[in-house]
Amino acid sequence: MNDAANTDLSADAPVSPAAPTVRYESQLRRVTRRFLRHKLAVFGGIGVILLIASALFADLLSPHDPIFIDTSLRFLFPMDNPSYPLGTDEIGRDTLSRLLHGGRISLVVGVVAMIATVVTGAVIGLTAGYYGGWIDNLIMRFVDTMLCFPQVFLLLVVAAFVTPTLISISLIIGLTSWMEVSRIVRAEILHLKEQDFIQAAHALGASGARIMFKELLPNTMAPILVAATLKVATAVLMESYISYLGYGIQPPLASWGNMLTNAQSYFDTVPFLAVLPGVMITFTVLSFNFLGDGLRDALDPRLKMDQ
Amino acid sequence: MSAPLLQVDDLRVHFRVDDGLLKAVDGVSYELGQGETLGIVGESGSGKTVSSLAVIGLLERPPAEIPSGRIIFGDEDLLTYSENRMSDVRGRRISMIFQEPMTSLNPVMAIGLQISEVVRRHLGMSKRQARERTLELLNLVGIPEPSKRIDEYPHQLSGGMRQRVMIALALACEPMILIADEPTTALDVTIQAQILELMASLQEKLGTSILLITHDLAVIAETAHRVAVMYAGRIVEKAPVKEIFQNPRHPYTQGLLRSIPRIDREREKRLTEIPGFVPSLADLPSGCAFVDRCPQAIDRCRRDTPMIEAIGEGHQVSCWRAEDG
């Protein structure tokens, strides 16, 4: 029986005449090509690259020390003084330097929180969807319970017990916002696990874990990616909420959130102090959303947009 | 025939639903010999797929229940196997290919990887060995340019190609039994012929036994050695393929054969259909399930359920009037 298997049958096996000669293209090139055709995605991608670069090189790009106070230069308007291109705040700190360093913190919080959210949400959603029955019920009722509390309350409760550091804040945000991801993943899994290829995988002797992580999970990548980029955006916002309430990034360190908070007292006189971090948050959120959208279209091999 | 490779014995599969008990498979017995193809024919809902899913252990229980029956494979009853043990059998000793090649492959995994995973799982091969084995298998099932195709995704292949990949997957570990559930239904007629030919030639090379489930008598005529005809959860007639076509004894089999167009029959003659509909499994008539549609029914058919009995060499029928001819 074994010898027979090794016999080459191709010579007499019929070759489908319909088989088209497909131009061969590597996966990476195809994804890149699709991505580049999506204009907003390119915009988002460039935006994200700029943000990451500015965060990485914040020290080099900043004209001043972001926490250096010079009370003689309070409330400088942008371009008033060429060495302070974006002006200064209420105690004379350079706004540009603070934006750059704040961006570093916001991005770290955003990305770490996103990873925590997605990993937790995906594993929980996958477990609930795959096993179904009482396990699913138990998990999803727990998710409902978590969703009943406004996230800010959850954040504050946890934050009251944890010393605020960059990582602890990120994890707190991540661990209080995984519920939507788990719902999305569960819904996808419920639909996917009834598909023929999952039954085929069972019929070929695949184990439960293999089916969960190798067959099901990769098929939920598109919605997970979109959720992930959205989560970066909301985490940036969440950080500003808790900073505003005094549990977040502590002064004098700058984050876009606490800059926005400080600026609100002077909004009627020096609006740019609030507008600048606001614009940065908006820009970040949009860039990540567009990027996620473009990635979803480009990565999904099921979408045939080649012609 | 020597000792059969697989012996299904009085298998019953019930589904508990809101309004009672559906007897999807109601006492089915058959045996499958080494290197043999057994065709199981029947309409939708006759229990042919459910009985084969029971063999490979893919019925979800609940809702399915198996109140009685044995599935003897290599001296052991597969129904007593734990899920873990069964998953070692699946894909290794018993494999299955499905009707829909379009959806039976993971859309986001390259086909080569899907095949490699199976041989690594069951045969413990290294990545490199598995890739070589995969190329060999793609070659075996007649995929042109396997070294290119191996990294392609299912959507890049035609339906026929995908079914070839499914066959490669199912045969990757040289299983002893291949269950083919309507393997050609979703394909064009020309591709159908190619796939059937491929299955037959692979069977010859590998000595695989095939359980071929179909509603297409043409497919049966072309591939099967023996045929079991199912109706409403039971086997009504079982015979070698020639015998079924030349000497059908159950009125249902006779009806099926009369309803196929034949090139050697006069054109003017209308095709005859079997009157009535398949009865609902929840509401079967007492006695023989076919009684309401049977042109030869007698009183006894309504009272007692006929048992399957031998009437000739390898030919069994479950009909009270089989002896009458």
Side-chain angles (χ1 to χ4, degrees):
Chain A
M1 191 157 153
N2 277 314
D3 301 343
N6 297 331
T7 324
D8 185 356
L9 257 187
S10 63
D12 55 75
V15 171
S16 167
T21 40
V22 185
R23 190 165 37 89
Y24 193 66
E25 193 180 26
S26 81
Q27 176 73 354
L28 185 69
R29 268 190 61 190
R30 185 170 51 242
V31 168
T32 319
R33 191 164 47 79
R34 287 187 188 174
F35 184 80
L36 291 179
R37 209 164 33 208
H38 199 312
K39 292 290 178 297
L40 283 176
V42 175
F43 166 81
I46 293 174
V48 169
I49 290 171
L50 284 179
L51 285 165
I52 292 173
S54 73
L56 280 178
F57 302 113
D59 290 326
L60 294 174
L61 296 170
S62 301
H64 301 276
D65 183 340
I67 55 174
F68 180 74
I69 299 170
D70 185 348
T71 42
S72 63
L73 291 171
R74 296 169 68 220
F75 296 125
L76 275 185
F77 261 67
M79 307 319 289
D80 272 1
N81 179 335
S83 100
Y84 293 91
L86 293 179
T88 56
D89 66 5
E90 72 278 8
I91 47 174
R93 293 176 294 196
D94 177 38
T95 309
L96 176 60
S97 306
R98 288 184 70 72
L99 280 178
L100 288 167
H101 281 85
R104 184 184 268 182
I105 285 179
S106 294
L107 277 188
V108 169
V109 171
V111 170
V112 175
M114 176 272 283
I115 293 171
T117 305
V118 166
V119 171
T120 320
V123 169
I124 290 179
L126 187 57
T127 312
Y130 181 73
Y131 288 105
W134 65 268
I135 298 179
D136 182 30
N137 262 319
L138 194 73
I139 292 177
M140 292 326 282
R141 292 303 77 76
F142 176 63
V143 167
D144 290 343
T145 315
M146 291 287 285
L147 280 170
C148 283
F149 303 105
Q151 195 188 347
V152 180
F153 283 175
L154 280 180
L155 279 174
L156 289 180
V157 170
V158 188
F161 296 103
V162 181
T163 357
T165 65
L166 199 54
I167 296 300
S168 72
I169 288 168
S170 309
L171 289 181
I172 291 171
I173 293 175
L175 296 179
T176 51
S177 60
W178 52 269
M179 291 81 79
E180 287 94 345
V181 178
S182 70
R183 280 190 161 179
I184 294 169
V185 171
R186 171 181 172 269
E188 282 287 312
I189 299 297
L190 285 182
H191 160 73
L192 282 168
K193 76 170 178 178
E194 301 302 328
Q195 304 260 310
D196 291 345
F197 70 91
I198 296 301
Q199 195 179 33
H202 277 294
L204 292 166
S207 64
R210 218 197 82 84
I211 287 182
M212 282 168 80
F213 290 100
K214 292 204 112 160
E215 305 277 347
L216 290 170
L217 197 59
N219 273 290
T220 61
M221 245 21 225
I224 287 183
L225 255 179
V226 177
T229 50
L230 279 169
K231 285 295 167 193
V232 173
T234 44
V236 170
L237 288 176
M238 279 298 151
E239 179 272 318
S240 61
Y241 289 173
I242 49 175
S243 295
Y244 170 74
L245 292 163
Y247 291 101
I249 302 300
Q250 302 297 313
L253 269 182
S255 82
W256 293 337
N258 67 21
M259 288 174 74
L260 206 53
T261 312
N262 294 341
Q264 68 168 358
S265 333
Y266 315 102
F267 189 70
D268 45 353
T269 48
V270 272
F272 68 89
L273 276 183
V275 169
L276 288 173
V279 165
M280 288 315 292
I281 293 175
T282 312
F283 179 69
T284 310
V285 171
L286 282 179
S287 297
F288 274 100
N289 283 352
F290 290 148
L291 176 69
D293 228 28
L295 280 179
R296 178 186 54 188
D297 293 349
L299 284 176
D300 193 342
R302 284 167 297 188
L303 290 177
K304 280 198 252 178
M305 323 192 310
D306 292 69
Q307 275 78 47
Chain B
M1 194 169 57
S2 57
L5 185 60
L6 176 82
Q7 191 173 355
V8 175
D9 201 8
D10 193 35
L11 178 71
R12 287 165 205 274
V13 182
H14 295 174
F15 288 92
R16 203 167 280 287
V17 290
D18 291 341
D19 43 341
L21 198 63
L22 291 186
K23 298 182 177 174
V25 177
D26 193 18
V28 158
S29 305
Y30 57 78
E31 53 293 308
L32 180 66
Q34 167 90 47
E36 184 191 39
T37 300
L38 173 67
I40 300 188
V41 219
E43 296 169 60
S44 314
S46 59
K48 53 195 194 305
T49 297
V50 172
S51 59
S52 63
L53 286 179
V55 171
I56 198 167
L58 281 181
L59 281 176
E60 255 184 77
R61 295 189 264 174
E65 292 167 16
I66 303 184
S68 83
R70 289 185 308 163
I71 297 170
I72 308 293
F73 175 66
D75 299 332
E76 287 190 274
D77 184 357
L78 291 183
L79 288 176
T80 63
Y81 274 32
S82 69
E83 174 54 30
N84 255 344
R85 249 185 113 190
M86 203 56 215
S87 80
D88 286 337
V89 172
R90 283 198 289 262
R92 177 74 188 89
R93 311 232 167 258
I94 305 180
S95 264
M96 183 154 184
I97 51 180
F98 296 90
Q99 179 171 359
E100 267 299 337
M102 307 314 264
T103 55
S104 298
L105 292 164
N106 188 336
V108 298
M109 208 193 268
I111 54 162
L113 198 57
Q114 303 193 36
I115 300 175
S116 305
E117 293 274 354
V118 177
V119 293
R120 291 182 64 198
R121 152 91 171 84
H122 288 296
L123 306 180
M125 286 185 175
S126 71
K127 269 194 179 171
R128 180 175 303 176
Q129 284 173 315
R131 194 172 165 92
E132 266 167 37
R133 174 77 178 138
T134 303
L135 283 172
E136 204 177 281
L137 282 161
L138 289 177
N139 212 7
L140 190 72
V141 296
I143 301 262
E145 300 187 89
S147 52
K148 274 186 182 178
R149 296 290 184 169
I150 191 169
D151 291 317
E152 293 196 353
Y153 288 84
H155 77 262
Q156 291 166 295
L157 305 179
S158 67
M161 285 292 151
R162 281 186 231 186
Q163 197 60 299
R164 283 171 194 267
V165 172
M166 278 308 296
I167 292 174
L169 263 170
L171 294 180
C173 305
E174 294 175 20
M176 295 157 98
I177 299 175
L178 176 66
I179 300 177
D181 188 356
E182 311 249 7
T184 56
T185 308
L187 302 173
D188 291 347
V189 180
T190 46
I191 310 293
Q192 274 187 18
Q194 290 177 10
I195 294 290
L196 291 175
E197 215 169 283
L198 173 68
M199 284 174 54
S201 75
L202 289 177
Q203 177 174 43
E204 209 167 286
K205 297 272 173 192
L206 307 176
T208 320
S209 305
I210 300 179
L211 202 55
L212 180 71
I213 299 157
T214 181
H215 59 255
D216 188 343
L217 286 164
V219 170
I220 291 285
E222 208 156 320
T223 4
H225 302 120
R226 287 190 308 124
V227 185
V229 182
M230 283 192 76
Y231 186 79
R234 288 163 177 268
I235 291 180
V236 294
E237 184 161 12
K238 210 164 25 173
V241 66
K242 250 191 166 168
E243 180 85 358
I244 279 278
F245 283 95
Q246 285 170 2
N247 184 23
R249 299 300 285 278
H250 196 282
Y252 177 64
T253 317
Q254 291 167 356
L256 278 184
L257 289 171
R258 268 199 301 272
S259 63
I260 335 173
R262 282 178 55 169
I263 204 153
D264 54 355
R265 225 185 264 158
E266 310 150 52
R267 285 259 293 284
E268 295 76 32
K269 226 170 160 184
R270 278 181 56 110
L271 283 174
T272 17
E273 84 266 24
I274 304 175
F277 297 96
V278 187
S280 152
L281 284 175
D283 185 27
L284 285 180
S286 59
C288 175
F290 190 60
V291 64
D292 291 332
R293 305 170 73 187
C294 183
Q296 304 165 29
I298 49 175
D299 285 348
R300 191 177 182 192
C301 300
R302 226 167 265 287
R303 276 198 315 272
D304 308 318
T305 311
M307 291 296 116
I308 190 150
E309 271 166 48
I311 57 154
E313 182 66 32
H315 194 160
Q316 292 165 291
V317 184
S318 111
C319 179
W320 294 123
R321 304 210 49 193
E323 296 297 336
D324 311 345

